Amino acid sequence: MSSSAFLRSLRLLLVALAAALIVAPSADAVTSSWVSLPGLLSNPLDDVNDADWVRVYEHGPGASIYAGTEDDGVHFSANGVNFTPLSGGLSAEGRHVRDVLYANGKVIAGTQAGLYLLGGANWSPLAQGSSATDLPRSVQALLSTSGNTVLAGTFAGGVYRSTDAGETWTKPAPGNGMPAGETVWGLDKIGAITFASTSSGIYKSANGGSSWTASNDGIPPSATTLRIIADGFNPNILYVATGGDGLYRSINFGETWASISDGLGNGVVRGLSQEAVSLKTKLYAATGNGLWVGTTGNGPVPGPVVWQKVTTTGLGSNTVLWAMDRLPLSTLLLAGTQSNGGYAMSLQPPAIQAAAPPTVTAPSLEVGATLTAAPGTWDGTGGFLFAFLWWRCPSSKTDTTAVTCSKITGATESTYTLTEADKNSYVGVEVHATNAFPSFTDYKAPSATTGKIVANPDTLPGSISLGAASIAMKAPGNLSLPNVGDTLLAVEGVTLPKPAGTVVSYQWLRCDEVGTTCTDIPGATGSSYVIRSEDSALRLAVRKRVSTADGAAYASPSGTTNLVIPDPAANLTAPKILGAPEVGETVVGNVGTWKSEQTTYERQWLQCDAEGNACEPIFGASGPGFVVREQDRGHRLRLRVRADVNESYKLPLAVEVISAASDTVPALAGPGGPGDPGPGDPGPGGPGPVPTDKSAPVVSGLKVAASKKASTQLAFTSSEAGTMTVLVERPSTGRKVGKVCRKATKQLRRNKKCTLYAKVAQATGKVAAGKNTLTLGKKVGGKTIKRGTYRVTVTVRDAAGNATKKTLTLKRK
């Protein structure tokens, strides 16, 4: 079979398989692993149909989906599975698609070249001119808010606003609450509030994007926020994905944020979705290392997130995900990778194998022995989490499903130590399994029960020693004011002579703030206990356990301590002022990051001298944003943050931290007013835009600076800072080249210059003004660069979108 015939057969097979995924997903099919989506395949020899870097999926009418790609334009599917190119009319820069919006019957693409509008099977430029109502910038995100109002998040240009479905645009106004020149990566509307995910954090707007307020408290100043979604059940809970700092959650609609990335295997999260029911939430995170699923509670305080990695089987060599979606009313999940195209997987629920159920092992069946549970063997989408529930039955049963069996309170670990309450009973375990399947059905399987637990005497010799213990505090602590880090001591209480071999041990308890509900602290079984951060604002107690050769018993719990005083607010990342301090523009005060999720903040803006000293509070300036005033010229600004972990009248006292000083607010340039306001800002003395920057960066000196077997270092100089795209191509050979060259002009054939190049790899990065170095390792953008001759094209783009390309020939030895 020829290679082309093989590819056709493979694609037909994938079409049939993908269709089967939608129509009839089944637990025993190969659909629990990833398969390539037909039409979204990486193919270096097919530059027209190639689609190796899928950045975004957008739902169209019915079951249709648009896939926006990097460098390969837009691809379209009528059924969400079979994709075909839809890029007619897009320029070379326009094929770098950042977002696609379907709204009010129109399809708009946000690209590196600006906006395009789909008409029939072709795209046409939309508002790409140079008038005051155009949008001549790279567009990263699009959002339809209401009616014909559309917002566009741009590269280094903030949020533009249109009220006529994208025909004309209004640029961000100075002092609108968002720093000038902000790059906006994501837009979303949650209720009546619009959110923008930017390079400096989250901003929210209550007026459809006309003005913004920073909503960054608890997110690191250096974090790039990419996506924000709302909880599907609790309206006060929001989630934010970042480009290197993992995921953050807010339980107060964005007032404060806390990391939920403990256990998440990769900090770059570009796609995020959720499945929620009344008790639990599942979060699906598309990361720089495959898909991860997190399970947490659902309610005002949902608790920690437990993460598990989903199988990467079938995903290919590059597991960097950029896009993620799920077809409506389907378990079919779509993913877009950085270099391997689009993939689909039909999520399958957990199912216990009948031949390998959960089991219980024990060294003995005597009180005090520890039982151990094994979860058994499960089918379904790979990546399982198991929970355990121990049961006590009055008679021997094959499993714990008998109606006469009862749950053992607090017994939820994989091991269980038999107690006096288990005497003359039979004990078993029930294993609960979860995976990425978008359902909260309780998938569980029981074990067989043990034999009868050996009976022990009902009373212990010397049982007077079962008098309740009490609690003391190790010096220099004060028992009246227990703090995190203090050491509590268990005091046995009344003691009488005991039989030889009697052992006294303890179990420490964590109680609610009124001391009525207490639970065991796992592992806290010694005679002393060091108070932990998780005990903050709660009470503690201890329970004594006495054991002899005849058995063991617990005494009643001690009285509880006073409320544990939390750790003082602890600053992890210093507050920082974001944005350029220019008169009329907004700077934003990020409070930094703090240790406790319960930290609250108060801000106070300060005006300082030209050296950043002698600071004085600015009256009324206590919000997250501050519009720089005329009287601030020649001064620097600082931000004072007052952080507390509880009400101001409770211990510990609040902590104050002051940010580093901002740059000096520029003084007047002379009689004409302020200096150069920059591209696109109102000029001095009147309305109207200053002409847009149309000068491309000057790129010179592109050369091989150093070459080794495993890497090559390139050097070049750029007149401006900006972004860089590196494209690595290899000369093509074979029938396709000859066919195209035969159609070339006679002049090309005569000069023997008819050469086709196939894309091998592509990567992006940042460029500084001046000298730059670029290292090409064994892999570029996830693709291996083997030995041979390549064409390397470096494209440098400034903040206004102007670009310059330079090319050289590279020989990899």
Side-chain angles (χ1 to χ4, degrees):
M1 180 183 294
S2 67
S3 60
S4 59
F6 173 75
L7 286 174
R8 285 196 299 272
S9 299
L10 177 59
R11 293 195 180 199
L12 289 173
L13 175 61
L14 291 174
V15 169
L17 176 57
L21 293 178
I22 295 179
V23 176
S26 60
D28 59 348
V30 295
T31 54
S32 58
S33 61
W34 297 95
V35 293
S36 295
L37 284 169
L40 290 182
L41 300 172
S42 177
N43 186 356
L45 297 180
D46 188 351
D47 220 16
V48 175
N49 299 296
D50 189 30
D52 57 358
W53 188 334
V54 181
R55 292 186 62 128
V56 63
Y57 291 108
E58 170 73 354
H59 289 265
S64 64
I65 290 183
Y66 299 88
T69 74
E70 179 68 39
D71 193 41
D72 296 310
V74 178
H75 287 59
F76 175 74
S77 172
N79 61 4
V81 176
N82 306 296
F83 287 84
T84 56
L86 183 64
S87 300
L90 296 178
S91 67
E93 299 297 329
R95 290 174 65 87
H96 296 269
V97 180
R98 309 308 197 212
D99 201 5
V100 180
L101 172 67
Y102 173 76
N104 300 319
K106 292 185 176 181
V107 182
I108 302 175
T111 77
Q112 190 166 298
L115 296 173
Y116 283 85
L117 177 66
L118 182 63
N122 288 284
W123 300 86
S124 58
L126 178 63
Q128 290 188 25
S130 57
S131 72
T133 59
D134 284 327
L135 202 173
R137 286 183 177 272
S138 173
V139 175
Q140 305 292 325
L142 291 165
L143 176 70
S144 175
T145 59
S146 62
N148 288 323
T149 300
V150 178
L151 302 182
T154 69
F155 179 84
V159 178
Y160 281 65
R161 191 168 185 266
S162 172
T163 57
D164 54 11
E167 296 294 331
T168 60
W169 293 85
T170 301
K171 66 175 297 182
N176 72 344
M178 185 182 292
E182 184 65 86
T183 295
V184 180
W185 302 103
L187 292 166
D188 207 346
K189 189 172 185 291
I190 300 170
I193 306 298
T194 303
F195 288 87
S197 311
T198 79
S199 290
S200 63
I202 296 294
Y203 295 81
K204 60 184 178 181
S205 172
N207 55 13
S210 296
S211 61
W212 300 88
T213 302
S215 181
N216 300 327
D217 289 356
I219 298 175
S222 59
T224 296
T225 56
L226 301 177
R227 299 285 183 272
I228 182 170
I229 69 167
D231 186 280
F233 186 81
N234 193 314
N236 290 322
I237 297 179
L238 305 175
Y239 301 93
V240 161
T242 73
D245 294 276
L247 286 168
Y248 287 79
R249 178 175 63 193
S250 172
I251 60 175
N252 49 22
F253 204 67
E255 292 300 316
T256 58
W257 299 88
S259 174
I260 54 170
S261 298
D262 188 19
L264 181 64
N266 193 277
V268 179
V269 183
R270 295 188 177 92
L272 186 63
S273 66
Q274 183 213 25
E275 184 79 20
V277 294
S278 59
L279 296 178
K280 292 183 180 180
T281 284
K282 280 188 178 179
L283 297 172
Y284 296 81
T287 78
N289 185 21
L291 179 68
W292 291 70
V293 174
T295 303
T296 184
N298 208 351
V301 184
V305 180
V306 179
W307 291 100
Q308 59 197 107
K309 186 176 182 181
V310 180
T311 180
T312 57
T313 302
L315 198 56
S317 60
N318 191 325
T319 59
V320 177
L321 301 185
W322 277 72
M324 181 182 61
D325 202 353
R326 203 172 79 230
L327 296 189
L329 304 178
S330 169
T331 61
L332 189 68
L333 191 72
L334 304 185
T337 70
Q338 180 167 305
S339 63
N340 289 339
Y343 285 81
M345 178 170 65
S346 181
L347 301 174
Q348 303 298 324
I352 188 68
Q353 291 186 6
T359 58
V360 174
T361 58
S364 74
L365 296 179
E366 298 176 355
V367 170
T370 298
L371 310 183
T372 301
T377 304
W378 296 74
D379 295 322
T381 299
F384 294 100
L385 286 180
F386 298 107
F388 301 87
L389 183 61
W390 292 87
W391 289 73
R392 183 184 297 123
C393 303
S395 58
S396 178
K397 303 290 179 182
T398 56
D399 60 53
T400 59
T401 58
V403 294
T404 55
C405 296
S406 59
K407 298 177 184 177
I408 302 176
T409 303
T412 57
E413 302 295 327
S414 60
T415 60
Y416 173 66
T417 300
L418 297 170
T419 69
E420 287 291 303
D422 300 317
K423 288 185 301 183
N424 300 317
S425 298
Y426 301 79
V427 174
V429 72
E430 190 175 71
V431 176
H432 297 243
T434 59
N435 66 353
F437 189 70
S439 167
F440 292 95
T441 299
D442 198 7
Y443 300 102
K444 57 187 178 181
S447 73
T449 55
T450 65
K452 181 185 289 187
I453 307 304
V454 174
N456 289 308
D458 291 333
T459 59
L460 292 170
S463 61
I464 187 66
S465 64
L466 285 180
S470 60
I471 297 176
M473 176 74 77
K474 183 178 180 180
N478 182 350
L479 188 59
S480 298
L481 298 172
N483 285 269
V484 173
D486 287 343
T487 300
L488 300 178
L489 304 173
V491 180
E492 184 179 350
V494 177
T495 61
L496 291 176
K498 307 181 187 69
T502 300
V503 176
V504 178
S505 59
Y506 300 92
Q507 173 62 62
W508 291 89
L509 310 171
R510 184 177 293 128
C511 308
D512 60 20
E513 61 182 7
V514 295
T516 57
T517 302
C518 301
T519 57
D520 292 354
I521 302 175
T525 57
S527 60
S528 63
Y529 176 72
V530 179
I531 301 176
R532 308 169 185 174
S533 295
E534 50 264 45
D535 302 321
S536 298
L538 300 175
R539 299 176 187 269
L540 298 168
V542 70
R543 183 172 55 176
K544 183 171 66 176
R545 183 176 187 269
V546 178
S547 62
T548 71
D550 297 315
Y554 275 110
S556 299
S558 69
T560 63
T561 65
N562 290 337
L563 289 173
V564 173
I565 298 173
D567 280 329
N571 182 241
L572 304 177
T573 304
K576 187 176 183 179
I577 296 176
L578 307 173
E582 298 179 358
V583 172
E585 293 292 354
T586 300
V587 289
V588 171
N590 186 295
V591 300
T593 56
W594 298 74
K595 184 177 179 180
S596 172
E597 187 175 0
Q598 300 178 0
T599 307
T600 57
Y601 314 96
E602 294 179 4
R603 293 175 173 83
Q604 177 61 59
W605 289 89
L606 309 174
Q607 185 195 67
C608 310
D609 62 22
E611 303 300 323
N613 303 316
C615 302
E616 296 291 337
I618 301 172
F619 179 75
S622 58
F626 175 70
V627 179
V628 183
R629 311 162 301 169
E630 285 288 341
Q631 57 264 46
D632 296 319
R633 291 189 183 277
H635 293 270
R636 293 175 184 262
L637 302 172
R638 288 183 185 266
L639 178 71
R640 184 173 66 204
V641 176
R642 188 174 189 269
D644 207 348
V645 292
N646 51 25
E647 292 87 346
S648 59
Y649 62 87
K650 291 184 178 180
L651 293 175
L653 299 176
V655 174
E656 288 190 351
V657 181
I658 298 178
S659 73
S662 70
D663 292 338
T664 303
V665 179
L668 291 174
D676 179 15
D681 289 330
V690 171
T692 304
D693 175 16
K694 297 183 179 180
S695 299
V698 177
V699 179
S700 59
L702 179 62
K703 64 180 181 179
V704 176
S707 183
K708 299 179 181 179
K709 184 176 181 180
S711 64
T712 302
Q713 189 177 74
L714 306 182
F716 64 92
T717 301
S718 175
S719 62
E720 298 182 62
T723 59
M724 167 184 62
T725 300
V726 181
L727 176 64
V728 180
E729 300 171 295
R730 193 168 190 170
S732 297
T733 58
R735 294 182 179 179
K736 181 177 178 180
V737 177
K739 181 178 180 181
V740 174
C741 286
R742 282 194 295 273
K743 295 181 179 180
T745 64
K746 293 181 179 179
Q747 183 65 33
L748 284 175
R749 293 201 302 271
R750 185 161 48 247
N751 294 335
K752 298 182 180 179
K753 292 182 178 180
C754 184
T755 305
L756 288 183
Y757 288 90
K759 181 173 68 176
V760 176
Q762 183 170 300
T764 59
K766 294 184 178 180
V767 172
K771 294 182 179 180
N772 291 267
T773 58
L774 166 65
T775 300
L776 303 180
K778 289 184 178 180
K779 290 189 175 182
V780 175
K783 295 293 185 69
T784 301
I785 308 300
K786 301 177 181 178
R787 291 186 298 175
T789 301
Y790 297 87
R791 181 173 71 176
V792 178
T793 302
V794 177
T795 303
V796 176
R797 183 177 303 279
D798 64 16
N802 305 303
T804 298
K805 292 184 178 180
K806 291 292 182 178
T807 300
L808 59 70
T809 299
L810 172 66
K811 292 184 178 181
R812 174 58 62 84
K813 298 179 180 180

